[in-house]
Amino acid sequence: MSLVLGLDLGTSGLKAVALSARGQKVAEARAGYPLHTPRPGWTEQDPLDWARAAQEALRALCEQLGGAEVVGIGLSGQMHGAVFLDKAGNPLCPAPLWNDQRTALEVEQIEQAIPRSELIRRTGNGAVTGFQLPKLLWLRNQHPALFQRLHKVLLPKDYLAFLLTGALSTEYSDASGIGALNLAEKRWDTDILQALSLSPDLFPEVGESQRVVGHLSPAWAQATGLQAGIPVVAGAGDNAAAALGLGVSRHRAGVGSLSLGTSGVIFIPTEQPTPEPEGRVHLFAHADGGYHLLGVTLSAAGSLEWLRGLFPEVGLETLLEEALQAPLGCEGLYFLPFLAGERSPYLAPHLRGAFLGLSLAHRRGHLVRAVLEGVALSLGEVYRVMRPLAGAQRLPGTGGGSASDLWLALAGGALGVPIHRVVGDEGAARGAGILALVGAGVYPSLREALEATAPAEQPATPPLEGLEPLRKGYAQAVEKVLELYKN
């Protein structure tokens, strides 16, 4: 049986899966690495830790396969990070990650050089602290000696491709989260780079997600137990890859996706690169050759996990049961899930969360339910911004939060879209493997690969009705907190 491998370089660890031609998982392996926060607002990782984790996971996967033929490897990973390489291919420093907030000054510099409206028109987004482009300016501003030695800047998954094959490359979905890719023309925007005095030579070549960028080197074959020469496919950024794993693409009209993971993500495919005029939600290239809108609530299941940590005496099941007993609206209690700042639609990294309306009548169950409702209402506000540009008639639901019927019902009610829980979820690693099926020639096109590997879904969880008064109260609560944290 011929297999493909899909690797997903996440923030907390690397996941590797082996898939059959029908997209069925045959084996899985994981390897972890630390997250470093040397200063408040900074998040970074050592690219060499990623390399060790990739070898560990691939070795473990290879041991499970019993000599089965591997015909391709696909890659995915956290978007927006910056791996700064010298000419020898060595990292110059730790890699700042997608949620790193050190670049506020550089974001201002970018939008002084290129008006925000022009950035949005060209790249689909304004300048964002987590994106790679401001990180490049940060290196030049803060470490000019290192910047002088800089040869290439790579995204995290593309650094894996470099390790595996020696190729310096990227693809449209991940590259569109850098901040320097012209979306309509799918090329590095030389006008933007010239305005910032940056050379386009700092970036790798860019192309389609399913293309083969290189072949597994003898050194990595020896280190992992795989055969040298296996084709390595460019892959996709984690959100685009996860969408492919769910079968979500421009080829299935009216289908988006909702992830209730640590962050909450609404993903809506679109044929045209039409950005939200104010940049309140992201527009990126999709791995299927089209585009997609992306709206993010940064602390979704992360909010529930934070609250659970405050009550170590009981388990999550008990907390969710207590939430079921609390009434809709929690008797006037609202939770604003801005624990790590907020992305969509406020783009306010300094915003902070809050419980509003607390009284002596509120109990633990009210707090838990308020978190579930607050996250759902936050996602509803995100979707209200996205819907005029592209909408969905149904949303496959994934992530740890999708295990809760109550949370899916609240989210479906807040968005006004039925949500179907997906049976089995390999996330971005599965999507990377599907791209490898195309690159390896198992399927002649991505459309055919997606049709053959589409996952099963459960019937939609009935959306909870009657949320409009709650939505209005939530919006008013957000206005109060936005005023509090203005500038």
Side-chain angles (χ1 to χ4, degrees):
M1 179 172 57
S2 296
L3 305 173
V4 292
L5 308 185
L7 274 63
D8 177 31
L9 181 71
T11 310
S12 58
L14 185 142
K15 179 178 181 178
V17 298
L19 302 180
S20 71
R22 301 294 295 182
Q24 296 166 321
K25 184 176 69 172
V26 175
E28 174 184 329
R30 298 173 184 262
Y33 33 76
L35 172 69
H36 304 290
T37 55
R39 299 186 191 180
W42 289 31
T43 59
E44 59 189 36
Q45 287 174 329
D46 185 346
L48 298 182
D49 287 338
W50 297 341
R52 285 189 285 270
Q55 290 194 359
E56 179 184 337
L58 286 172
R59 275 197 305 269
L61 204 59
C62 191
E63 289 170 1
Q64 299 175 51
L65 298 182
E69 182 186 18
V70 175
V71 298
I73 300 173
L75 303 173
S76 180
Q78 49 178 297
M79 295 178 67
H80 312 309
V83 184
F84 303 115
L85 298 182
D86 64 17
K87 284 188 177 180
N90 298 314
L92 292 168
C93 60
L97 304 187
W98 59 276
N99 52 356
D100 187 281
Q101 300 294 336
R102 75 184 70 180
T103 60
L105 174 63
E106 286 72 25
V107 163
E108 291 181 12
Q109 290 177 343
I110 292 170
E111 295 198 346
Q112 286 171 0
I114 309 104
R116 179 177 176 80
S117 59
E118 184 70 3
L119 274 176
I120 293 171
R121 186 183 70 80
R122 289 171 175 267
T123 72
N125 305 279
V128 179
T129 50
F131 280 18
Q132 190 191 85
L133 185 62
K135 295 178 173 72
L136 194 55
L137 296 185
W138 171 85
L139 186 72
R140 186 173 67 184
N141 289 343
Q142 301 299 322
H143 300 282
L146 289 181
F147 186 81
Q148 288 297 318
R149 295 169 53 199
L150 179 64
H151 176 60
K152 292 288 181 186
V153 56
L154 297 182
L155 293 156
K157 78 162 191 337
D158 299 327
Y159 176 66
L160 275 190
F162 171 67
L163 293 175
L164 295 173
T165 69
L168 294 165
S169 63
T170 190
E171 48 70 48
Y172 300 127
S173 73
D174 216 356
S176 60
I178 285 174
L181 188 79
N182 187 299
L183 273 188
E185 300 178 17
K186 290 187 175 176
R187 60 167 178 82
W188 300 122
D189 196 309
T190 51
D191 292 336
I192 289 176
L193 296 177
Q194 185 176 10
L196 298 171
S197 300
L198 292 172
S199 169
D201 294 338
L202 292 172
F203 300 93
E205 59 133 7
V206 59
E208 294 182 337
S209 296
Q210 69 268 27
R211 81 191 194 285
V212 174
V213 296
H215 296 81
L216 189 67
S217 71
W220 270 74
Q222 183 177 9
T224 60
L226 295 167
Q227 289 291 318
I230 297 172
V232 176
V233 169
D238 54 1
N239 286 305
L244 292 185
L246 297 171
V248 175
S249 80
R250 62 193 175 99
H251 304 306
R252 293 176 71 194
V255 181
S257 66
L258 170 67
S259 172
L260 283 172
T262 301
S263 58
V265 180
I266 304 173
F267 185 108
I268 308 291
T270 177
E271 291 279 357
Q272 300 299 324
T274 305
E276 201 282 319
E278 298 177 41
R280 292 176 294 172
V281 295
H282 297 303
L283 174 67
F284 296 130
H286 193 6
D288 65 355
Y291 301 89
H292 69 87
L293 294 170
L294 190 79
V296 181
T297 289
L298 285 177
S299 298
S303 292
L304 183 60
E305 182 64 20
W306 164 79
L307 187 68
R308 187 184 69 83
L310 301 183
F311 302 109
E313 67 276 10
V314 295
L316 182 58
E317 220 172 282
T318 299
L319 293 177
L320 291 174
E321 183 60 36
E322 291 178 357
L324 272 172
Q325 306 309 314
L328 180 67
C330 303
E331 299 181 274
L333 179 62
Y334 292 96
F335 173 72
L336 278 57
F338 310 142
L339 301 181
E342 193 52 286
R343 187 79 69 85
S344 309
Y346 312 110
L347 299 176
H350 302 301
L351 198 58
R352 290 296 176 262
F355 281 106
L356 295 183
L358 272 171
S359 75
L360 293 172
H362 289 118
R363 297 293 180 263
R364 188 169 62 193
H366 291 87
L367 297 179
V368 181
R369 177 151 189 147
V371 166
L372 303 183
E373 291 181 355
V375 170
L377 292 165
S378 175
L379 290 165
E381 292 302 297
V382 174
Y383 188 61
R384 282 166 60 84
V385 173
M386 301 173 78
R387 192 168 51 204
L389 300 169
Q393 282 74 56
R394 53 191 289 269
L395 295 170
T398 64
S402 68
S404 167
D405 288 335
L406 173 58
W407 218 349
L408 286 188
L410 286 165
L415 274 68
V417 181
I419 300 172
H420 299 250
R421 184 182 292 115
V422 175
V423 179
D425 176 21
E426 312 310 330
R430 186 174 194 270
I434 292 170
L435 288 167
L437 287 170
V438 183
V442 177
Y443 293 99
S445 71
L446 181 58
R447 183 172 191 163
E448 290 170 90
L450 292 174
E451 289 173 355
T453 60
E457 297 176 12
Q458 295 178 358
T461 302
L464 203 61
E465 302 293 336
L467 291 186
E468 183 57 22
L470 198 58
R471 187 197 70 77
K472 290 180 179 178
Y474 176 85
Q476 292 170 358
V478 170
E479 285 300 319
K480 293 176 183 177
V481 172
L482 285 173
E483 184 66 26
L484 181 65
Y485 283 98
K486 186 184 294 183
N487 300 324

